[in-house]
Amino acid sequence: MTYELFKSELLKTLQKLDSKHSYQIIPQTKAGSQELLHCERLRAGKSPALDVMGLYREAENLDLNFVRDIAEMFSSNIQLIEFMEDPDKTFEDVKETICCRLVNPTQKAEMLNHAVHTPYLDLEVLFYLDFGKFAREMGINCLIAQGSLERWNLSMEDLYRIAKENTMRLHPPKVYSVTQLAEDLSRECETVLFKELAEELQDKGPCFQVTNEEHYLGATSLLYPEVFEAIAQEGRQDLFLTLLSEDEITVEPAVGNPSTLQAMLQEFCDLSSSQALSNQIYCYRKGSGQISLCLNADRMRQN
Protein backbone atom coordinates (compact mmCIF):
# COMPACT_ATOMS: atom_id res chain seq x y z
CA MET A 1 0.00 0.00 0.00
CA THR A 2 1.45 3.35 -1.04
CA TYR A 3 1.48 6.31 1.33
CA GLU A 4 -1.07 8.21 -0.79
CA LEU A 5 -3.44 5.23 -0.76
CA PHE A 6 -2.93 4.88 3.01
CA LYS A 7 -3.93 8.53 3.56
CA SER A 8 -6.91 8.24 1.25
CA GLU A 9 -8.22 5.07 2.94
CA LEU A 10 -7.68 6.57 6.40
CA LEU A 11 -9.74 9.67 5.64
CA LYS A 12 -12.43 7.64 3.90
CA THR A 13 -12.74 5.25 6.85
CA LEU A 14 -12.85 8.10 9.37
CA GLN A 15 -15.70 9.76 7.51
CA LYS A 16 -17.68 6.49 7.48
CA LEU A 17 -17.14 6.03 11.21
CA ASP A 18 -17.84 9.63 12.19
CA SER A 19 -19.90 11.72 9.79
CA LYS A 20 -20.32 14.51 12.39
CA HIS A 21 -16.73 15.69 12.05
CA SER A 22 -14.45 16.72 9.23
CA TYR A 23 -10.91 15.30 9.16
CA GLN A 24 -7.87 16.53 7.27
CA ILE A 25 -4.17 15.71 6.92
CA ILE A 26 -1.92 18.77 7.02
CA PRO A 27 1.85 19.01 6.23
CA GLN A 28 3.70 20.51 9.22
CA THR A 29 7.20 21.27 7.91
CA LYS A 30 8.65 22.91 4.80
CA ALA A 31 10.50 19.70 3.98
CA GLY A 32 7.26 17.76 4.21
CA SER A 33 8.77 15.31 6.67
CA GLN A 34 5.64 15.20 8.81
CA GLU A 35 1.92 15.20 8.07
CA LEU A 36 -0.57 15.40 10.92
CA LEU A 37 -4.15 14.17 11.03
CA HIS A 38 -6.48 16.75 12.59
CA CYS A 39 -10.18 16.85 13.33
CA GLU A 40 -12.18 20.03 12.79
CA ARG A 41 -14.12 19.87 16.02
CA LEU A 42 -17.80 20.75 16.25
CA ARG A 43 -17.11 22.43 19.58
CA ALA A 44 -14.26 24.70 20.55
CA GLY A 45 -11.14 22.99 21.81
CA LYS A 46 -7.82 21.63 20.70
CA SER A 47 -7.93 18.61 18.44
CA PRO A 48 -5.48 15.76 19.00
CA ALA A 49 -3.09 15.20 16.11
CA LEU A 50 -1.66 11.99 14.68
CA ASP A 51 1.66 11.77 12.79
CA VAL A 52 0.35 9.93 9.73
CA MET A 53 3.67 9.79 7.87
CA GLY A 54 5.52 8.47 10.91
CA LEU A 55 2.81 5.89 11.50
CA TYR A 56 3.05 4.73 7.87
CA ARG A 57 6.83 4.36 8.06
CA GLU A 58 6.80 2.37 11.30
CA ALA A 59 3.85 0.09 10.57
CA GLU A 60 4.65 -3.61 10.22
CA ASN A 61 1.43 -4.72 8.52
CA LEU A 62 -0.10 -2.14 6.22
CA ASP A 63 -3.53 -3.37 5.18
CA LEU A 64 -7.13 -2.19 5.39
CA ASN A 65 -7.57 -3.78 8.85
CA PHE A 66 -4.68 -1.66 10.14
CA VAL A 67 -6.22 1.46 8.58
CA ARG A 68 -9.56 0.72 10.25
CA ASP A 69 -7.89 0.17 13.63
CA ILE A 70 -6.17 3.57 13.42
CA ALA A 71 -9.38 5.28 12.30
CA GLU A 72 -11.38 3.70 15.13
CA MET A 73 -8.82 4.73 17.74
CA PHE A 74 -8.69 8.33 16.49
CA SER A 75 -12.45 8.88 16.14
CA SER A 76 -12.98 7.22 19.53
CA ASN A 77 -10.49 9.66 21.06
CA ILE A 78 -12.37 12.61 19.55
CA GLN A 79 -15.70 11.43 20.99
CA LEU A 80 -14.16 10.88 24.40
CA ILE A 81 -12.55 14.35 24.47
CA GLU A 82 -15.86 15.99 23.56
CA PHE A 83 -17.62 14.11 26.32
CA MET A 84 -14.97 15.13 28.87
CA GLU A 85 -15.42 18.78 27.86
CA ASP A 86 -19.20 18.56 28.26
CA PRO A 87 -20.26 15.62 30.48
CA ASP A 88 -23.83 16.99 30.82
CA LYS A 89 -24.77 16.08 27.28
CA THR A 90 -28.38 15.75 26.17
CA PHE A 91 -29.94 12.40 25.42
CA GLU A 92 -29.88 13.16 21.68
CA ASP A 93 -26.11 13.74 21.89
CA VAL A 94 -25.36 10.30 23.31
CA LYS A 95 -28.28 8.01 22.44
CA GLU A 96 -26.33 6.16 19.71
CA THR A 97 -23.52 5.30 22.17
CA ILE A 98 -25.61 3.98 25.09
CA CYS A 99 -24.69 0.33 25.73
CA CYS A 100 -24.99 -2.18 28.55
CA ARG A 101 -22.84 -4.80 30.25
CA LEU A 102 -23.34 -7.46 32.91
CA VAL A 103 -21.54 -7.14 36.24
CA ASN A 104 -21.40 -9.07 39.48
CA PRO A 105 -23.11 -6.88 42.13
CA THR A 106 -20.74 -7.99 44.87
CA GLN A 107 -17.60 -7.37 42.82
CA LYS A 108 -18.80 -4.00 41.44
CA ALA A 109 -20.69 -2.67 44.46
CA GLU A 110 -18.88 0.68 44.45
CA MET A 111 -19.53 1.17 40.75
CA LEU A 112 -23.23 0.43 41.19
CA ASN A 113 -23.51 3.10 43.90
CA HIS A 114 -22.98 5.83 41.30
CA ALA A 115 -24.39 4.43 38.06
CA VAL A 116 -27.77 3.50 36.57
CA HIS A 117 -28.36 -0.26 36.74
CA THR A 118 -31.11 -2.85 36.81
CA PRO A 119 -31.14 -6.50 38.04
CA TYR A 120 -30.85 -9.51 35.75
CA LEU A 121 -31.03 -12.90 37.48
CA ASP A 122 -28.18 -12.86 40.04
CA LEU A 123 -26.31 -10.12 38.14
CA GLU A 124 -26.81 -6.44 37.35
CA VAL A 125 -27.12 -4.72 33.97
CA LEU A 126 -24.93 -1.62 34.02
CA PHE A 127 -25.37 1.17 31.45
CA TYR A 128 -22.49 3.10 29.91
CA LEU A 129 -21.52 5.27 26.94
CA ASP A 130 -19.41 3.39 24.42
CA PHE A 131 -16.84 5.75 22.88
CA GLY A 132 -15.14 3.02 20.94
CA LYS A 133 -11.73 1.50 20.71
CA PHE A 134 -9.66 4.23 22.37
CA ALA A 135 -11.81 4.20 25.50
CA ARG A 136 -11.71 0.39 25.66
CA GLU A 137 -7.94 0.22 25.18
CA MET A 138 -7.44 2.86 27.89
CA GLY A 139 -9.86 1.09 30.25
CA ILE A 140 -12.07 4.19 30.49
CA ASN A 141 -15.62 3.54 31.76
CA CYS A 142 -18.09 6.31 30.96
CA LEU A 143 -20.95 5.08 33.13
CA ILE A 144 -24.40 6.64 32.96
CA ALA A 145 -24.69 8.41 36.29
CA GLN A 146 -27.67 8.18 38.60
CA GLY A 147 -30.01 11.07 37.91
CA SER A 148 -29.51 10.87 34.14
CA LEU A 149 -32.90 9.26 33.51
CA GLU A 150 -34.68 12.13 35.22
CA ARG A 151 -32.60 14.70 33.35
CA TRP A 152 -33.28 12.96 30.03
CA ASN A 153 -36.95 12.29 30.89
CA LEU A 154 -36.35 8.63 30.01
CA SER A 155 -37.79 5.47 31.57
CA MET A 156 -35.67 2.50 32.63
CA GLU A 157 -37.56 0.35 30.11
CA ASP A 158 -36.64 2.69 27.24
CA LEU A 159 -33.02 2.93 28.40
CA TYR A 160 -32.76 -0.86 28.56
CA ARG A 161 -34.27 -1.28 25.10
CA ILE A 162 -31.98 1.34 23.51
CA ALA A 163 -28.89 -0.05 25.25
CA LYS A 164 -29.64 -3.60 24.08
CA GLU A 165 -30.20 -2.41 20.50
CA ASN A 166 -26.95 -0.42 20.47
CA THR A 167 -24.94 -3.21 22.09
CA MET A 168 -26.22 -5.67 19.49
CA ARG A 169 -25.34 -3.22 16.70
CA LEU A 170 -21.88 -2.25 17.99
CA HIS A 171 -20.84 -5.57 19.56
CA PRO A 172 -22.92 -8.37 18.03
CA PRO A 173 -22.47 -11.79 19.67
CA LYS A 174 -20.20 -14.29 17.95
CA VAL A 175 -20.23 -18.03 18.49
CA TYR A 176 -17.00 -20.02 18.39
CA SER A 177 -16.83 -23.81 18.35
CA VAL A 178 -14.76 -25.12 21.26
CA THR A 179 -14.47 -28.49 19.52
CA GLN A 180 -12.80 -26.76 16.58
CA LEU A 181 -10.42 -25.17 19.07
CA ALA A 182 -9.70 -28.64 20.43
CA GLU A 183 -8.91 -29.97 16.97
CA ASP A 184 -6.57 -27.04 16.34
CA LEU A 185 -4.83 -27.67 19.67
CA SER A 186 -4.46 -31.36 18.87
CA ARG A 187 -2.90 -30.66 15.48
CA GLU A 188 -0.65 -27.77 16.42
CA CYS A 189 0.56 -28.59 19.96
CA GLU A 190 2.83 -31.47 20.82
CA THR A 191 2.89 -31.15 24.60
CA VAL A 192 1.07 -33.73 26.72
CA LEU A 193 -0.84 -30.95 28.54
CA PHE A 194 -2.36 -29.55 25.36
CA LYS A 195 -3.09 -33.03 24.02
CA GLU A 196 -5.01 -33.87 27.19
CA LEU A 197 -6.90 -30.57 27.02
CA ALA A 198 -7.82 -31.23 23.40
CA GLU A 199 -9.11 -34.71 24.22
CA GLU A 200 -11.14 -33.41 27.17
CA LEU A 201 -12.78 -30.74 25.01
CA GLN A 202 -13.58 -33.21 22.26
CA ASP A 203 -15.12 -35.67 24.75
CA LYS A 204 -17.55 -32.98 25.91
CA GLY A 205 -19.23 -32.88 22.51
CA PRO A 206 -20.58 -29.73 20.82
CA CYS A 207 -19.34 -26.99 23.16
CA PHE A 208 -19.19 -23.32 22.23
CA GLN A 209 -17.85 -20.00 23.40
CA VAL A 210 -20.11 -16.98 22.97
CA THR A 211 -18.46 -13.55 23.00
CA ASN A 212 -18.09 -10.68 20.50
CA GLU A 213 -15.49 -9.75 17.91
CA GLU A 214 -13.41 -7.80 20.43
CA HIS A 215 -13.65 -10.54 23.10
CA TYR A 216 -14.52 -7.66 25.43
CA LEU A 217 -17.58 -7.74 27.72
CA GLY A 218 -18.88 -10.60 25.59
CA ALA A 219 -20.80 -12.13 28.51
CA THR A 220 -23.42 -9.45 27.82
CA SER A 221 -24.61 -11.91 25.16
CA LEU A 222 -26.57 -13.54 28.01
CA LEU A 223 -29.15 -10.78 27.46
CA TYR A 224 -29.95 -12.18 23.99
CA PRO A 225 -31.74 -15.56 24.35
CA GLU A 226 -32.07 -15.83 20.57
CA VAL A 227 -28.33 -16.56 20.36
CA PHE A 228 -28.72 -19.61 22.58
CA GLU A 229 -31.93 -20.69 20.86
CA ALA A 230 -29.94 -20.95 17.62
CA ILE A 231 -27.30 -23.12 19.34
CA ALA A 232 -29.96 -25.26 21.04
CA GLN A 233 -31.83 -25.79 17.76
CA GLU A 234 -28.62 -26.75 15.98
CA GLY A 235 -27.73 -29.32 18.65
CA ARG A 236 -31.36 -30.27 19.35
CA GLN A 237 -30.82 -30.11 23.10
CA ASP A 238 -30.95 -27.82 26.12
CA LEU A 239 -27.86 -25.94 27.27
CA PHE A 240 -25.77 -25.21 30.36
CA LEU A 241 -24.03 -21.81 30.41
CA THR A 242 -21.08 -20.70 32.57
CA LEU A 243 -19.67 -17.18 32.91
CA LEU A 244 -15.97 -17.47 33.78
CA SER A 245 -15.38 -13.78 33.03
CA GLU A 246 -17.13 -10.66 31.75
CA ASP A 247 -15.75 -11.41 28.30
CA GLU A 248 -17.24 -14.75 27.30
CA ILE A 249 -19.81 -17.46 27.98
CA THR A 250 -19.07 -21.17 27.79
CA VAL A 251 -21.95 -23.20 26.37
CA GLU A 252 -22.31 -26.98 26.54
CA PRO A 253 -25.13 -29.53 26.19
CA ALA A 254 -27.32 -30.00 29.26
CA VAL A 255 -26.39 -33.65 29.71
CA GLY A 256 -24.90 -35.52 32.65
CA ASN A 257 -25.01 -34.39 36.25
CA PRO A 258 -25.08 -30.58 36.53
CA SER A 259 -23.72 -30.76 40.06
CA THR A 260 -20.39 -31.91 38.61
CA LEU A 261 -20.25 -28.80 36.43
CA GLN A 262 -21.19 -26.66 39.42
CA ALA A 263 -18.38 -28.20 41.47
CA MET A 264 -15.84 -27.52 38.69
CA LEU A 265 -17.01 -23.92 38.44
CA GLN A 266 -16.76 -23.44 42.20
CA GLU A 267 -13.24 -24.88 42.17
CA PHE A 268 -12.28 -22.41 39.44
CA CYS A 269 -13.73 -19.53 41.47
CA ASP A 270 -11.86 -20.66 44.58
CA LEU A 271 -8.49 -21.18 42.90
CA SER A 272 -8.40 -18.63 40.09
CA SER A 273 -6.63 -15.31 40.61
CA SER A 274 -9.24 -13.68 38.36
CA GLN A 275 -12.87 -13.54 39.46
CA ALA A 276 -15.58 -15.30 37.48
CA LEU A 277 -18.52 -13.12 36.55
CA SER A 278 -20.78 -15.57 38.37
CA ASN A 279 -20.34 -18.79 40.34
CA GLN A 280 -23.75 -20.01 39.13
CA ILE A 281 -24.71 -22.30 36.26
CA TYR A 282 -27.31 -20.91 33.85
CA CYS A 283 -29.74 -22.89 31.72
CA TYR A 284 -31.34 -22.41 28.35
CA ARG A 285 -34.19 -24.75 27.49
CA LYS A 286 -34.74 -25.20 23.75
CA GLY A 287 -37.79 -23.28 22.59
CA SER A 288 -38.20 -21.35 25.86
CA GLY A 289 -36.69 -18.04 24.75
CA GLN A 290 -35.52 -17.53 28.32
CA ILE A 291 -32.29 -17.78 30.33
CA SER A 292 -32.65 -19.06 33.89
CA LEU A 293 -30.49 -19.83 36.88
CA CYS A 294 -29.79 -23.53 37.03
CA LEU A 295 -30.73 -23.85 40.70
CA ASN A 296 -32.86 -26.85 39.83
CA ALA A 297 -30.77 -28.22 37.00
CA ASP A 298 -31.53 -31.85 37.87
CA ARG A 299 -35.23 -31.15 37.43
CA MET A 300 -34.54 -29.48 34.06
CA ARG A 301 -32.54 -32.51 32.89
CA GLN A 302 -35.23 -34.96 33.92
CA ASN A 303 -38.20 -33.12 32.36
Side-chain angles (χ1 to χ4, degrees):
M1 181 184 294
T2 65
Y3 178 57
E4 291 304 316
L5 179 58
F6 174 66
K7 289 196 298 183
S8 173
E9 290 295 333
L10 182 59
L11 289 174
K12 187 191 305 181
T13 306
L14 276 167
Q15 209 56 53
K16 286 182 180 178
L17 291 171
D18 179 15
S19 59
K20 294 193 305 179
H21 297 87
S22 175
Y23 295 91
Q24 56 184 331
I25 297 175
I26 306 171
Q28 294 297 300
T29 66
K30 292 181 180 179
S33 60
Q34 188 182 52
E35 289 192 317
L36 299 183
L37 173 65
H38 285 275
C39 168
E40 296 179 356
R41 302 279 301 286
L42 291 181
R43 292 176 171 80
K46 185 178 180 182
S47 168
L50 180 69
D51 180 2
V52 181
M53 189 174 289
L55 186 66
Y56 176 82
R57 288 169 177 165
E58 295 175 10
E60 294 181 1
N61 298 308
L62 271 171
D63 57 20
L64 292 180
N65 287 331
F66 175 76
V67 172
R68 182 171 181 84
D69 283 346
I70 296 303
E72 286 181 349
M73 288 286 284
F74 196 78
S75 65
S76 172
N77 193 10
I78 296 296
Q79 293 180 65
L80 187 59
I81 288 173
E82 286 197 331
F83 176 74
M84 294 302 185
E85 289 180 351
D86 181 16
D88 295 324
K89 286 183 175 291
T90 67
F91 173 69
E92 290 300 317
D93 289 332
V94 299
K95 68 178 182 179
E96 297 298 320
T97 68
I98 295 173
C99 288
C100 56
R101 57 184 283 196
L102 283 172
V103 299
N104 184 301
T106 302
Q107 297 169 7
K108 305 292 185 182
E110 182 64 27
M111 190 179 285
L112 295 176
N113 286 337
H114 307 287
V116 177
H117 58 92
T118 190
Y120 182 81
L121 300 176
D122 63 323
L123 303 171
E124 289 286 331
V125 179
L126 190 63
F127 301 94
Y128 70 100
L129 304 180
D130 189 331
F131 291 121
K133 194 162 189 171
F134 181 82
R136 292 196 298 273
E137 293 288 336
M138 297 299 291
I140 298 172
N141 293 304
C142 297
L143 303 178
I144 296 181
Q146 291 186 5
S148 298
L149 294 184
E150 291 79 4
R151 183 160 53 86
W152 293 341
N153 193 27
L154 192 69
S155 69
M156 176 62 77
E157 290 75 16
D158 285 339
L159 177 69
Y160 196 8
R161 174 182 54 80
I162 291 166
K164 283 187 64 179
E165 290 172 356
N166 287 341
T167 303
M168 175 63 84
R169 174 175 54 85
L170 296 172
H171 309 288
K174 295 197 72 172
V175 180
Y176 297 89
S177 168
V178 176
T179 51
Q180 183 60 53
L181 171 62
E183 292 172 7
D184 293 342
L185 282 172
S186 185
R187 283 196 305 268
E188 298 173 9
C189 303
E190 298 300 326
T191 65
V192 174
L193 176 63
F194 278 111
K195 288 286 186 183
E196 290 178 351
L197 174 61
E199 291 173 2
E200 182 180 342
L201 288 172
Q202 287 172 325
D203 288 343
K204 281 192 171 187
C207 300
F208 300 90
Q209 182 189 84
V210 179
T211 180
N212 51 39
E213 188 172 345
E214 302 89 0
H215 289 262
Y216 178 75
L217 302 181
T220 306
S221 302
L222 198 69
L223 300 177
Y224 303 95
E226 61 269 28
V227 174
F228 304 98
E229 177 63 26
I231 298 174
Q233 289 291 346
E234 181 69 23
R236 298 181 181 179
Q237 54 195 328
D238 302 334
L239 305 171
F240 289 152
L241 319 175
T242 52
L243 281 59
L244 297 182
S245 77
E246 293 186 11
D247 298 326
E248 68 271 324
I249 301 170
T250 301
V251 182
E252 57 186 271
V255 295
N257 191 338
S259 62
T260 302
L261 183 60
Q262 181 68 65
M264 291 174 60
L265 176 59
Q266 191 59 54
E267 183 179 6
F268 172 85
C269 294
D270 292 340
L271 299 178
S272 176
S273 57
S274 59
Q275 292 179 308
L277 177 56
S278 175
N279 62 357
Q280 300 295 321
I281 305 296
Y282 300 83
C283 307
Y284 183 81
R285 191 164 193 168
K286 183 166 65 74
S288 69
Q290 197 169 32
I291 306 289
S292 61
L293 277 169
C294 212
L295 300 174
N296 298 309
D298 280 311
R299 186 186 306 167
M300 170 188 172
R301 183 168 56 91
Q302 293 164 5
N303 288 341

